[in-house]
Amino acid sequence: MTRAIKAVLWDMDGTLADSEALHLDTLVAVLKQHGLEADDDLHASIFGKTGREVHRYCSTRFGIDFDYGQWSMTRARHYVSAAANMQPRPGALSVYHAVRAAGIRQAIVSNSSRMLLEAGLRALDLQDPQLVSISANDVRAGKPDPEPYERAAWLLRVTPDEAVVVEDSPTGARAAIAAGMRVLAWPEHASAAASFPDSSEVVFSEHELAAALGVQLDS
């Protein structure tokens, strides 16, 4: 028997926020400082990874031992300076506010650093003293490890089977499944649906997402 939904755990980048291009721009900027150009497939290679994982990947790919402190600071400054212009993913905030109106608890669970996550929350006007949010700074291991979602559920005082996760990346979906949670996969492009784990429930619009969560969107 399926338990009632007591909490919805949202991924941030690409799910609530249309921010993947901004993350890529920060990477392009730091690579340019080293006289390097990003390849066309770079975004697909880093999609869903933590900042440290992207750093390790680029160090290996380009054969340069980038200083992580300088690398991350350059990316963060670029991101924060541009974040004010960030837009929500179309339809995402309508579902977020419908979940809130239904009295269901929510949390935001991101692989980004606290600094970047807070910049995104400000841009989307989601700052709330009561909001539970998990960043890369709050856990020992990021997605696809289950720890970020497990921590969010613990803070919300819900069990895994009482929580539903909304994700746009297979990496995040694997983390939620490993945490024992139901996953609603909402890929940016329908062609990406096949890359999600089989147990994910794929939705293709905010209307399908709202229906899966059992909430009503304002007409």
Side-chain angles (χ1 to χ4, degrees):
M1 180 178 179
T2 303
R3 300 191 65 171
I5 299 173
K6 290 189 176 180
V8 177
L9 312 183
W10 296 86
D11 171 58
M12 182 63 165
D13 296 304
T15 302
L16 282 173
D18 186 11
S19 55
E20 292 294 346
L22 178 52
H23 277 285
L24 183 60
D25 285 348
T26 69
L27 183 55
V28 170
V30 74
L31 289 175
K32 187 174 294 185
Q33 286 190 350
H34 293 272
L36 300 169
E37 291 188 10
D39 299 327
D40 291 340
D41 64 342
L42 186 61
H43 181 244
S45 301
I46 66 170
F47 186 48
K49 289 182 168 59
T50 65
R52 284 194 176 275
E53 288 172 335
V54 172
H55 172 259
R56 287 194 296 268
Y57 173 81
C58 288
S59 294
T60 300
R61 178 166 180 167
F62 295 102
I64 297 177
D65 186 17
F66 300 108
D67 177 76
Y68 181 72
Q70 188 60 46
W71 164 282
S72 59
M73 185 58 71
T74 299
R75 291 194 69 191
R77 286 174 175 164
H78 185 93
Y79 187 97
V80 171
S81 68
N85 298 318
M86 184 189 301
Q87 296 297 310
R89 179 175 180 175
L93 292 188
S94 295
V95 182
Y96 181 92
H97 292 305
V99 171
R100 183 174 182 175
I104 301 171
R105 282 167 277 181
Q106 300 187 95
I108 296 176
V109 183
S110 175
N111 256 0
S112 292
S113 70
R114 172 59 56 185
M115 182 177 176
L116 304 194
L117 177 55
E118 292 295 339
L121 294 176
R122 284 194 298 273
L124 300 188
D125 195 25
L126 291 178
Q127 288 184 303
D128 180 344
Q130 304 302 314
L131 177 65
V132 169
S133 61
I134 305 297
S135 73
N137 300 96
D138 303 314
V139 293
R140 293 170 298 177
K143 309 171 193 176
D145 192 277
E147 185 184 359
Y149 282 117
E150 290 171 340
R151 181 163 178 78
W154 181 78
L155 289 171
L156 291 174
R157 296 180 172 84
V158 298
T159 59
D161 59 345
E162 295 172 332
V164 177
V165 171
V166 185
E167 272 282 357
D168 76 310
S169 79
T171 298
R174 288 195 296 272
I177 291 169
M181 298 176 184
R182 178 186 172 198
V183 177
L184 297 178
W186 189 18
E188 180 182 3
H189 304 291
S191 59
S195 62
F196 284 85
D198 291 341
S199 58
S200 305
E201 301 171 44
V202 182
V203 297
F204 296 103
S205 70
E206 67 269 28
H207 302 287
E208 290 184 9
L209 177 59
L213 293 171
V215 298
Q216 186 71 40
L217 295 180
D218 292 334
S219 55

